[in-house]
Amino acid sequence: MIAKPPEGCSVTDVSGWIVQIILGLICLGVLICKRYQEKPRRLWKIWLLDTSKQIVSALAAHMLNVVLAVVLTSIQDSHKHTADACAWYFVTIIFDTTLGTFICYLMLKYLNQFFIAKRIDHLASGNYFKVHENTLPQQSSLGKPNRKVEIDYGIWFAQLLIWIMIVILSKIFLYLIQYYLSGFFINITLFLFQGLRNLPFVKLLLVMILIPTIMNALQFWLQDNFLKKKTDDHEDIMVKQLFFEDTGAIELSKVSYVPDHSHGT
C-alpha cells in the first residue's frame, strides 16, 4: 500500500484488484463476441491459444502498470502539488492502449517478416502447427495420408514468450517517456481530476473501470487481429481444418467462383 493523501486513490488495494478482475472478464467477453463474428471462425482451442497470449501479457502489463504508477508517484516530491497513483494509472492506460498497441503491432509485424524470410515460419504469430511426413511407403499404399498436421504447444509457448517480451519492451519505452515528461503529465492529471479530489471512489470507477473498459476492449480487439493466424487462400486444407470450423463451406464458396473453361468459345 502506498502513502497517499485522503483524496487520492490506490491501485494496489483490494478494490483495485477487484475492478481489474471485472475489467478482465469484460475484455474476455469482447473477444468471445469477436470470435462469433469471424469468417472463418476459429476453433475454440485455437481461440484459447490466441487469447491466452493476451491474458498472460495483460497480467504482466498490469503488474508493470501498478509498479510504474507507484514509482511515478514517488518522483513528484519536488512538486508543490502531486498527482496520485490513480491519476498516473490513467496516463499509463491511455499510453498502453494507443501508442503501446501501435508499437507492439510494429514489432510483431517486423518479427513475423523476419521469421518468414529466415524460413522459420512456425514462429510467426498464430502458426501453432507442425507437419509430420509419412515416410512409410506401406502406409501410403494402404490409403493413409502422406502427412499429419497437429497443434504444437511448444511453438505456442515460444510465441507467447516472444509476445510477452514485445509487451515488456513497449512498456519500458512508454515508461521512459512518462518519466522524462513527468512534470507535464502531473499538470495534465491535476487538471483532469481536480473536480474529483474528494470523490476517490468515483475516480476509481472512472480510471479503473469506465476508461479502461473502453480502451482495453478496443486494444484486445485490435491485438487479436494481428496475433491470430492469417487466412491464406493457398494454405493447405489440412492446416485450415486444424484451425477453423467452417473450412468446408469456405472451400465450396471458392469453387463456386472458379470460372468454367471446359467449353470452347
Side-chain angles (χ1 to χ4, degrees), residues 107-125:
M107 286 195 287
L108 185 66
K109 175 184 177 181
Y110 290 120
L111 270 178
N112 285 342
Q113 292 177 353
F114 172 79
F115 294 145
I116 294 173
K118 296 299 181 179
R119 297 185 181 278
I120 45 178
D121 305 41
H122 58 278
L123 290 180
S125 188

Side-chain angles (χ1 to χ4, degrees), residues 120-140:
I120 45 178
D121 305 41
H122 58 278
L123 290 180
S125 188
N127 288 339
Y128 321 121
F129 69 92
K130 59 183 176 182
V131 179
H132 296 286
E133 297 291 343
N134 179 13
T135 59
L136 299 178
Q138 64 270 26
Q139 291 187 358
S140 298

